[in-house]
Amino acid sequence: MEQLLQKLAEQEGGTTASPLRIFLVEDSPDVRDLIMESLAEIPGVLLAGYSETEQDAMRRLEDEDFDVLILDIQLKQGNGMNLLQSLARSGKRRHDELKIIFSNHVSATYRRVGLQYGVQFFFDKSSEFTKLRSLIERLSGKGPSPVAAAPSGFLPA
Amino acid sequence: MRMTLGRNDTGENSLLEQYVATQSNVANIVTAAMGLAVMVGLFGVVVLICCYAEEDYRKLLADLILVQGSTAAGFVLAGCTLYMQCINVGNQSRRLTLAARLTASLLLLLSIAFLLQNFLGVNLSRAHLPGLALVGSAIGAEIHPLAATCLLLVALALLLHDQATRGGHYPAEYLAFILIGLAAIPLVGYLYGIHKLTFLSYSTGIPLLSALVFLLLGAALLMARPSHRLMAIIVGHAPGGNMLRRLLPSMLLLILLLNLLVAQGAEYRLYDDRLMLPFLTLIDGALVVFIFWRFAGRLDREYGARMHSAAKLAETNSLLTAVSDSTSEPIFVKNRQGLLVFANPALLQQVGKNWEEAMYRSSRDLFSSIEDADRIDEDDKRVMASGLPETIEQTLHLQHGIFTYQSTRVPWFDKSGNVLGVIGISTDISERKRAEDSLREREARLEKTVIERTALLRELTNHLETVREEEKRAIARELHDNMGASLTALSMHLESVYKILPDDEKWQERKPRIQGLMSSLVGTTRRIQTELRPNMLDLFGLKAAITEQLDELAERTDMVCKASLPDEDVVIGHEMEIAIYRMLQEMLNNVAKHAKASLVNVILDIDEEQVALTVRDNGIGIPPERRDNNKTYGLRGLRERATFFGGSVDIRPASGSGALITIRLPLAPAAAV
């Protein structure tokens, strides 16, 4: 995982001019606003768009270009896991974007299933927002060095 | 009754009466005739032998020799013929008939020859059959003309034995009577010692033995055919025959005795010879009066008894008629051919005919429906064949509607146990039948209603379950969308707030408390949400949901939880999945609450026919009274759910310790159960 992160950081670092494009799938407006506000503060981060439902997200993700996908599991319509499954099946997209689950459902079972769909990070919505933010900061290349602030929320791979 | 009276009255004839009363009397009489025939034949043979006896024995056998060889030859022929005719009653054997004819004809020729010899002095045997002369003087000598006449009569009677006139008379019988009468003449002569009667104006007297044998022959001739007209009278059961049997022998004996006494009196000079005739007249007159009076008395008694029994019969008859006429239950009697021989008014009304129309009719003529008639005939035939009574329920299509009868059929026996027909009594049970039918119909309807209601209840239970799940889902959704989201947002806000908390000791000490409260709040909300709506089930299916439950249980209770799940994905429909999920939840709750177990095994098995979910723990087990108690909420809930899907719950102690609960649900659609 560390290696992966390093690789990603290098990738981003190599193209400092282009910002880190983030797509957010979150159904609760309160939470969504908060995340967007918070992430927008990070320099070099661009919010490519957001979606509230699985269908809408699926449709928009086909067209949008993004580097990081942050998604919730339970949505007003559909769910994040199905979305990941559909994305994997559609095959239109390259699969190197970073997929982060930011949800209340972070039990071992979810983590296991998520891994199957190429999810790299899981964060508990209620307690690990800081960790998500740190990760994004580091990916955008503006945050503290990865080694210095190894986030504790990282999954043991 | 008549017979017993007669027997008591006439003790002397009781044996004869009994003899006549027996069923086999006719055959016995023929047998007796056979015996007599044999006796006569043998007698003839003995006489013939005696004729050639040595001179020394002649004196001893004088009586037998007196009978003469010629007569004896006639006796032999007569005996043989009669014996053959006795064996051959009804002329069954042609050969015997021919032989009898032959011997009788020989006898006829012989007797004619004797008569010719007597009256014309022609000695045929000497003149034309010189061979006979060699036999000696025994045969061929002149015999008494009465004996010759008797032989002629015997020959004629034998030849005409079975010939009847147009009026039903048998000449042979009359000939036999004449024979007896002729034989009686010399016998009476011998009895009274009057030579005129034994000699009958001939040079020698007819021998006593010959006369006796002729008498026996006459009797035997009559007895050989007891069914012929005259014999039938004395042999028969009718009062006439009775009277004859009782009175005739005693009267003959009485006349003989009294007359003998009168004659003896005259002989011993007790009175003048001239008085004999008046005496005889008086005695015979008295006897005749006595006979007629007695005869008349008997006749009257017979008549009275007959009248009495007729009156009784009439009474019984009228009683029977009254019963059969007044009863509303059809009664009938049919003969072996199935033709109606008796019917009471109820039956006539049943078939809608009067007696003249119904008499000697078959069932097909009586009943309009051929099927009914055939069925009735079938039943009747079966009863007649088996000889056992039967009670049958029959439905008849009559002119005035369809009726159901309970009919009892009894075979009709004669005295010797032969089936003469069938007797039937029917009872109209249409009302009862209707009531039974309506009861049955109501029962069926009730059963149908019960089934419908049960289905309705199941539907309702299903609906309630759906509603419950729906409600839970709505609450879960609400929790997630509003409270959950708000809580999350609040937590995230707080995350930022923590950073700017004053760095004094008080706030630093409060920070973890706030965090703890927050995470407890979030945790509870999540737990409630998950319990209300198994999100996992919706997202990843049953296998994942079971795994999640077990993970959670393990986390909550420190029990070791193991799952054995099928490799392939489980697709059994949302309703059943949620039911299984809920049942597992229930069972795991029970285990956690009561079992005190350290290990739980969950096994899910699916084949083409059913889903089986087994939960085994190593705890204290479920006590039997609790196991079977339907009031125990958890177990009852399990059973209700399983029953709804047409499945079953099996609770038993696990090997070792603990409990083993297996739920089996068929994979057929629930509606089929």
Side-chain angles (χ1 to χ4, degrees):
Chain A
M1 189 52 70
E2 282 299 324
Q3 284 171 350
L4 174 80
L5 201 65
Q6 203 68 49
K7 203 178 91 192
L8 277 169
E10 274 166 16
Q11 222 173 34
E12 302 302 326
T15 52
T16 1
S18 59
L20 187 70
R21 300 173 67 86
I22 294 175
F23 194 91
L24 182 62
V25 182
E26 169 63 62
D27 59 338
S28 162
D30 288 337
V31 179
R32 193 176 62 232
D33 290 349
L34 194 63
I35 294 173
M36 278 161 65
E37 270 171 34
S38 181
L39 292 184
E41 288 168 5
I42 305 170
V45 168
L46 179 71
L47 275 163
Y50 69 88
S51 189
E52 287 190 345
T53 66
E54 183 187 324
Q55 267 176 3
D56 181 54
M58 189 63 208
R59 190 166 45 78
R60 296 182 63 171
L61 281 176
E62 302 240 318
D63 311 325
E64 299 276 349
D65 192 24
F66 61 93
D67 303 310
V68 177
L69 176 65
I70 299 174
L71 45 85
D72 193 1
I73 289 179
Q74 202 170 359
L75 302 171
K76 281 206 170 86
Q77 180 274 317
N79 68 74
M81 287 296 178
N82 276 349
L83 179 62
L84 286 172
Q85 198 177 14
S86 306
L87 279 177
R89 276 187 194 150
S90 74
K92 279 184 183 172
R93 295 210 52 90
R94 52 193 171 86
H95 299 293
D96 54 356
E97 75 266 3
L98 193 66
K99 299 185 187 80
I100 301 168
I101 283 184
F102 186 57
S103 167
N104 279 322
H105 306 280
V106 284
S107 70
T109 318
Y110 284 90
R111 283 169 196 254
R112 214 160 36 235
V113 178
L115 276 176
Q116 285 174 9
Y117 297 129
V119 172
Q120 287 94 341
F121 295 97
F122 283 85
F123 292 111
D124 187 331
K125 226 190 231 179
S126 305
S127 57
E128 292 180 337
F129 179 55
T130 323
K131 288 174 185 166
L132 173 69
R133 197 189 140 101
S134 315
L135 178 69
I136 300 298
E137 276 173 357
R138 277 170 56 199
L139 287 174
S140 67
K142 298 293 183 286
S145 95
V147 186
S152 59
F154 286 171
L155 270 178
Chain B
M1 194 171 71
R2 238 165 35 225
M3 296 309 287
T4 50
L5 267 178
R7 225 173 286 165
N8 292 341
D9 283 1
T10 54
E12 55 193 313
N13 288 334
S14 61
L15 271 176
L16 184 61
E17 286 293 324
Q18 217 164 359
Y19 178 63
V20 169
T22 52
Q23 283 289 327
S24 56
N25 57 353
V26 169
N28 285 347
I29 290 168
V30 174
T31 313
M34 272 162 75
L36 286 176
V38 170
M39 270 169 67
V40 169
L42 284 176
F43 177 76
V45 171
V46 168
V47 169
L48 275 176
I49 292 168
C50 290
C51 287
Y52 298 98
E54 293 290 323
E55 204 60 40
D56 300 342
Y57 300 106
R58 284 208 161 235
K59 270 186 188 161
L60 279 171
L61 305 168
D63 278 346
L64 285 173
I65 292 166
L66 212 58
V67 173
Q68 286 182 304
S70 318
T71 321
F75 287 159
V76 173
L77 282 173
C80 288
T81 313
L82 191 57
Y83 185 79
M84 283 190 276
Q85 288 190 344
C86 285
I87 294 174
N88 195 21
V89 176
N91 296 330
Q92 286 132 338
S93 161
R94 268 202 133 167
R95 223 180 279 172
L96 273 173
T97 314
L98 272 175
R101 282 274 158 82
L102 197 68
T103 46
S105 306
L106 265 177
L107 185 63
L108 185 68
L109 284 174
L110 195 66
S111 58
I112 289 171
F114 290 145
L115 277 177
L116 285 174
Q117 205 173 10
N118 275 321
F119 295 111
L120 303 173
V122 181
N123 195 330
L124 285 170
S125 57
R126 288 263 164 84
H128 303 285
L129 295 165
L132 271 178
L134 293 173
V135 186
S137 61
I139 299 176
E142 269 186 43
I143 60 164
H144 197 281
L146 185 69
T149 313
C150 283
L151 280 177
L152 180 69
L153 285 172
V154 170
L156 284 173
L158 283 170
L159 277 172
L160 301 172
H161 215 177
D162 289 314
Q163 304 292 321
T165 64
R166 205 174 288 169
H169 295 276
Y170 287 87
E173 285 189 313
Y174 298 102
L175 288 172
F177 272 114
I178 294 170
L179 178 65
I180 290 170
L182 284 179
I185 297 171
L187 283 175
V188 172
Y190 279 114
L191 191 67
Y192 294 124
I194 299 164
H195 294 298
K196 267 191 181 170
L197 284 179
T198 57
F199 280 71
L200 286 170
S201 65
Y202 190 68
S203 54
T204 56
I206 181 164
L208 173 66
L209 282 172
S210 295
L212 272 173
V213 171
F214 279 123
L215 189 73
L216 284 177
L217 259 176
L221 275 169
L222 285 173
M223 283 158 74
R225 293 290 184 270
S227 55
H228 286 182
R229 188 159 178 153
L230 293 179
M231 274 308 278
I233 294 174
I234 195 164
V235 169
H237 286 285
N242 249 334
M243 212 79 68
L244 212 55
R245 283 197 298 275
R246 273 184 226 147
L247 292 179
L248 193 63
S250 53
M251 278 307 129
L252 283 176
L253 207 66
L254 212 57
I255 289 172
L256 222 59
L257 276 174
L258 289 174
N259 289 6
L260 198 61
L261 279 176
V262 172
Q264 288 293 311
E267 204 168 311
Y268 288 108
R269 304 280 167 209
L270 290 178
Y271 42 77
D272 197 350
D273 270 356
R274 274 178 304 172
L275 283 174
M276 209 170 92
L277 204 62
F279 264 140
L280 281 176
T281 309
L282 284 172
I283 288 170
D284 290 348
L287 279 177
V288 166
V289 168
F290 173 71
I291 288 167
F292 272 95
W293 225 267
R294 183 137 187 216
F295 184 80
R298 292 262 162 165
L299 212 57
D300 276 357
R301 209 182 302 163
E302 287 287 346
Y303 179 73
R306 195 147 291 201
M307 289 301 283
H308 184 66
S309 59
K312 271 204 162 171
L313 202 65
E315 195 184 330
T316 316
N317 226 356
S318 74
L319 203 64
L320 275 179
T321 309
V323 171
S324 83
D325 283 3
S326 59
T327 182
S328 63
E329 316 198 317
I331 301 173
F332 66 82
V333 181
K334 287 180 193 164
N335 63 12
R336 279 207 76 94
Q337 287 75 46
L339 305 178
L340 197 66
V341 294
F342 171 84
N344 71 341
L347 186 108
L348 294 174
Q349 196 204 341
Q350 185 189 26
V351 299
K353 292 186 165 51
N354 61 32
W355 174 234
E356 279 68 35
E357 289 168 336
M359 187 170 49
Y360 295 120
R361 295 295 170 148
S362 67
S363 300
R364 281 197 182 209
D365 297 332
L366 295 172
F367 293 97
S368 49
S369 157
I370 289 174
E371 289 83 34
D372 286 353
D374 288 350
R375 210 167 46 244
I376 290 170
D377 284 348
E378 235 169 72
D379 294 338
D380 290 347
K381 273 180 199 148
R382 199 177 51 245
V383 169
M384 284 194 277
S386 69
L388 297 172
E390 268 185 44
T391 300
I392 306 148
E393 193 174 296
Q394 56 180 200
T395 303
L396 298 180
H397 300 76
L398 303 176
Q399 285 150 346
H400 44 287
I402 297 172
F403 288 84
T404 305
Y405 289 92
Q406 183 175 305
S407 177
T408 301
R409 309 285 170 84
V410 186
W412 172 28
F413 293 113
D414 66 2
K415 273 180 190 163
S416 47
N418 301 315
V419 176
L420 296 178
V422 63
I423 304 165
I425 301 177
S426 306
T427 311
D428 186 353
I429 55 164
S430 307
E431 274 304 314
R432 201 164 84 198
K433 181 84 178 162
R434 261 195 286 279
E436 266 174 27
D437 283 350
S438 97
L439 195 67
R440 212 167 296 150
E441 193 186 325
R442 242 177 289 169
E443 257 171 30
R445 222 160 36 206
L446 193 66
E447 202 156 307
K448 204 172 144 214
T449 313
V450 168
I451 290 169
E452 279 171 8
R453 291 282 154 82
T454 312
L456 207 65
L457 274 179
R458 189 171 292 151
E459 202 63 34
L460 194 65
T461 316
N462 187 24
H463 176 67
L464 279 178
E465 204 52 51
T466 313
V467 166
R468 231 154 66 103
E469 286 296 338
E470 205 48 48
E471 209 161 294
K472 281 181 181 176
R473 206 182 59 80
I475 296 171
R477 169 64 64 181
E478 196 74 4
L479 269 181
H480 169 263
D481 287 354
N482 296 323
M483 199 170 149
S486 304
L487 265 177
T488 307
L490 194 59
S491 311
M492 287 163 72
H493 279 301
L494 279 175
E495 290 277 318
S496 328
V497 172
Y498 295 142
K499 286 180 189 159
I500 55 161
L501 280 180
D503 205 9
D504 59 16
E505 200 179 310
K506 190 176 96 185
W507 283 108
Q508 288 308 317
E509 187 249 339
R510 277 183 189 176
K511 185 185 158 191
R513 278 164 62 191
I514 297 171
Q515 276 176 322
L517 279 173
M518 219 42 222
S519 83
S520 150
L521 202 55
V522 168
T524 309
T525 315
R526 275 183 203 167
R527 193 168 48 74
I528 293 172
Q529 208 180 315
T530 309
E531 268 171 28
L532 283 174
R533 185 66 187 175
N535 207 351
M536 201 66 192
L537 191 62
D538 289 346
L539 295 183
F540 307 116
L542 191 59
K543 276 162 66 182
I546 290 175
T547 313
E548 193 199 26
Q549 267 199 55
L550 286 174
D551 287 347
E552 199 207 359
L553 183 73
E555 200 178 311
R556 208 167 70 209
T557 60
D558 295 334
M559 275 192 279
V560 179
C561 303
K562 289 182 182 165
S564 161
L565 307 173
D567 290 335
E568 67 274 20
D569 278 337
V570 176
V571 186
I572 53 174
H574 185 70
E575 283 196 359
M576 200 178 273
E577 276 177 15
I578 203 147
I580 287 177
Y581 182 87
R582 291 292 184 209
M583 285 192 271
L584 179 65
Q585 209 170 23
E586 190 63 55
M587 286 188 280
L588 292 180
N589 273 344
N590 280 340
V591 172
K593 260 191 246 171
H594 307 290
K596 296 174 186 157
S598 61
L599 174 73
V600 183
N601 272 316
V602 174
I603 303 155
L604 184 70
D605 265 328
I606 294 183
D607 57 26
E608 284 172 359
E609 286 163 5
Q610 65 168 10
V611 188
L613 176 70
T614 306
V615 173
R616 187 170 63 203
D617 67 68
N618 63 349
I620 56 170
I622 304 171
E625 68 272 12
R626 209 176 151 257
R627 191 188 308 158
D628 299 328
N629 187 354
N630 264 343
K631 284 176 187 158
T632 311
Y633 181 76
L635 294 182
R636 192 179 70 181
L638 283 187
R639 287 218 167 85
E640 274 173 7
R641 277 183 204 270
T643 310
F644 173 67
F645 286 97
S648 63
V649 179
D650 178 35
I651 305 171
R652 62 175 71 177
S655 53
S657 67
L660 178 73
I661 304 179
T662 304
I663 291 164
R664 289 188 183 83
L665 305 182
L667 282 178
V673 180

